[in-house]
């Protein structure tokens, strides 16, 4: 009479063969479709908030941001991706910028930017509060005056009788410059007076900028600039920056994102987003959330079948699959209750 253990081991072999057959070959697709449907069916009976607590969701999102954002793979990939993108752009003369980016959303973006009067007002106000901006403005005005005087002197030199008048004005201006420099130690033409008047000049400039953004055809000019480039090959973009520039910009942006991710306030913002998501979708079943994420049974099964068969077949060929299945089933088949049942006890 066959011993219970031998029967159990034979049943174990049959069970291992059955499961391996289920997840390999043509049967695998049927099993995946069946199981995905079954899992989604179960998920349709479970509400999101019943299985995921708010604090758990916050911690999960924080872990994803922390682990992925700071991973060595991403850190090393950023400059590599930048170089690869630049090489591809440099080599592509067939695709135009307009083929990649639609004109309509670009126009909508520009319209929105130019209509953001509150933001424009605030930026201009803050500029007038900056002493450094005032210094830059005074130097800019100084440069304009110098260039204007030089241009007039060159024109006047060609007109008899006028060159002497311009020379007199230039001499007076130089004396004023020397006096200002001596009194203030400032190297600019207007010296300290320009610094004191810069706030007024900036306000006047801000008014001009404000009116230009609101009244002048800035939007049309911006769209004309876009249209000039939209019909050109994307390879033309490399004329704006070198590969080294793109590489360094990508690394700098990554560093900004990485350091921002570590700030406490960023965590507060992430938690707020999770709370909003939880509030909106907490009562949805897990299955009902799939369409909201753009997923369906077919998409899920298709993605599993895209990679699963190759992995499973490789595991089957080297014997790992059968070994794993056996390790999980063997404790059951060789357990005392099963052996006793086989023995009829």
């Amino acid at each position: 009479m066959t011993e219970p253990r031998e029967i159990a081991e034979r049943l174990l072999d049959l069970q291992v063969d059955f499961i391996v057959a289920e997840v390999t070959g043509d049967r695998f697709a049927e099993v995946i479709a069946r199981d995905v449907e079954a899992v989604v069916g179960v998920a349709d009976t479970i509400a999101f908030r019943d299985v995921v607590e708010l604090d758990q969701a916050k911690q999960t999102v924080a872990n994803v941001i922390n682990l992925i954002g700071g991973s060595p793979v991403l850190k090393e990939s950023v400059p590599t991706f930048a170089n690869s993108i630049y090489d591809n752009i440099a080599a592509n003369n067939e695709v135009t910028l307009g083929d990649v980016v639609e004109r309509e959303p670009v126009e909508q973006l520009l319209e929105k930017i130019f209509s953001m009067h509150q933001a424009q007002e605030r930026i201009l106000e803050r500029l007038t509060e900056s002493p450094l901006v005032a210094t830059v403005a005074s130097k800019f005005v100084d440069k304009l005056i110098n260039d204007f005087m030089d241009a007039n002197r060159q024109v006047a030199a060609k007109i008899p009788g006028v060159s002497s008048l311009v020379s007199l004005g230039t001499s007076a201006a130089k004396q004023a410059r020397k006096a200002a420099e001596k009194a203030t130690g400032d190297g600019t033409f207007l010296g300290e007076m320009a610094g004191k008047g810069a706030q007024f000049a900036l306000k006047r400039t801000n008014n001009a900028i404000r009116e230009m953004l609101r009244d002048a055809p800035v939007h049309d000019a911006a769209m004309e600039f876009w249209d000039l480039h939209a019909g050109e090959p994307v390879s033309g973009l490399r004329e704006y920056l070198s590969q080294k520039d793109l590489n360094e910009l990508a690394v700098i942006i990554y560093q900004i994102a990485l350091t921002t991710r570590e700030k406490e306030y960023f965590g507060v913002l992430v938690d707020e987003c999770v709370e909003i998501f939880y509030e909106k979708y907490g009562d949805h079943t897990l299955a009902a959330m799939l369409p909201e994420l753009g997923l369906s049974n077919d998409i899920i099964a298709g993605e599993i079948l895209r990679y699963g068969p190759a992995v499973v077949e490789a595991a089957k060929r080297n014997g790992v699959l059968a070994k794993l299945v056996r390790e999980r089933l063997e404790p059951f088949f060789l357990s005392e209750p099963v052996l006793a049942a086989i023995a009829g006890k």
Side-chain angles (χ1 to χ4, degrees):
M1 182 176 180
T2 306
E3 293 294 328
R5 185 177 181 87
E6 292 180 7
I7 297 174
E9 290 178 346
R10 178 57 181 158
L11 290 174
L12 173 60
D13 291 338
L14 293 173
Q15 182 70 66
V16 170
D17 292 341
F18 175 80
I19 293 177
V20 171
E22 284 275 277
V23 296
T24 55
D26 297 336
R27 179 67 177 148
F28 186 60
E30 299 176 14
V31 171
I32 292 299
R34 178 200 68 193
D35 291 349
V36 167
E37 183 177 358
V39 170
V40 172
V42 173
D44 201 28
T45 66
I46 303 173
F48 178 67
R49 68 170 70 251
D50 291 339
V51 293
V52 180
E53 296 181 1
L54 179 58
D55 289 341
Q56 291 177 326
K58 289 180 179 180
Q59 187 60 53
T60 298
V61 173
N63 287 341
V64 170
I65 294 174
N66 182 56
L67 295 175
I68 296 179
S71 67
V73 172
L74 187 59
K75 180 179 180 180
E76 295 175 1
S77 297
V78 168
T80 303
F81 288 158
N83 291 336
S84 179
I85 290 173
Y86 191 91
D87 290 339
N88 181 61
I89 290 176
N92 197 318
N93 293 311
E94 299 177 357
V95 180
T96 66
L97 187 59
D99 293 332
V100 180
V101 183
E102 295 288 337
R103 188 180 194 277
E104 183 177 355
V106 173
E107 187 169 16
Q108 292 174 350
L109 175 63
L110 291 174
E111 287 179 351
K112 182 59 181 177
I113 292 174
F114 292 132
S115 67
M116 294 170 61
H117 302 313
Q118 180 178 346
Q120 296 166 9
E121 293 284 349
R122 185 55 178 161
I123 291 173
L124 294 175
E125 287 176 4
R126 295 309 301 265
L127 283 175
T128 59
E129 298 171 5
S130 171
L132 183 57
V133 172
T135 301
V136 173
S138 66
K139 291 182 180 294
F140 178 70
V141 172
D142 186 27
K143 176 64 175 174
L144 287 178
I145 294 175
N146 284 335
D147 289 348
F148 178 75
M149 291 174 58
D150 290 340
N152 283 345
R153 184 170 59 252
Q154 293 175 12
V155 173
K158 302 177 182 179
I159 304 176
V162 177
S163 58
S164 58
L165 294 176
V166 174
S167 297
L168 179 62
T170 302
S171 177
K174 289 180 178 179
Q175 292 299 323
R177 178 199 298 272
K178 292 179 180 179
E181 292 176 354
K182 183 177 181 181
T184 65
D186 196 310
T188 66
F189 176 72
L190 299 178
E192 188 175 313
M193 294 180 62
K196 291 180 179 179
Q199 297 295 332
F200 176 76
L202 279 174
K203 290 180 181 179
R204 297 287 295 179
T205 303
N206 288 348
N207 288 335
I209 295 174
R210 186 182 298 109
E211 295 301 321
M212 179 188 70
L213 292 175
R214 295 188 180 185
D215 299 331
V218 179
H219 171 268
D220 293 340
M223 288 309 302
E224 184 176 283
F225 177 80
W226 165 259
D227 291 335
L228 288 173
H229 290 76
E232 297 180 355
V234 293
S235 58
L237 295 175
R238 73 185 191 276
E239 297 178 6
Y240 287 91
L241 73 170
S242 66
Q243 186 169 24
K244 182 174 181 292
D245 291 333
L246 179 61
N247 186 295
E248 292 178 350
L249 280 173
V251 172
I252 290 172
I253 293 173
Y254 170 73
Q255 287 296 331
I256 292 174
L258 189 64
T259 53
T260 301
R261 170 189 64 104
E262 299 170 350
K263 297 298 186 294
E264 180 180 353
Y265 185 68
F266 180 78
V268 173
L269 295 178
V270 172
D271 287 348
E272 180 68 19
C273 292
V274 173
E275 289 179 9
I276 293 172
F277 181 89
Y278 197 85
E279 180 67 25
K280 183 174 182 179
Y281 294 104
D283 294 327
H284 284 54
T285 65
L286 297 177
M289 289 181 60
L290 295 179
E292 299 288 341
L293 299 173
L295 299 174
S296 66
N297 291 14
D298 292 340
I299 292 176
I300 295 172
E303 290 303 315
I304 294 175
L305 291 173
R306 189 187 307 276
Y307 307 103
V311 175
V312 173
E313 287 295 336
K316 179 183 177 181
R317 285 194 303 270
N318 59 25
V320 172
L321 179 60
K323 180 176 181 291
L324 291 174
V325 174
R326 179 176 293 277
E327 287 177 350
R328 281 150 183 76
L329 295 177
E330 190 174 53
F332 167 76
F333 280 96
L334 300 184
S335 64
E336 291 298 330
V338 172
L339 293 176
I342 294 174
K345 297 180 181 179

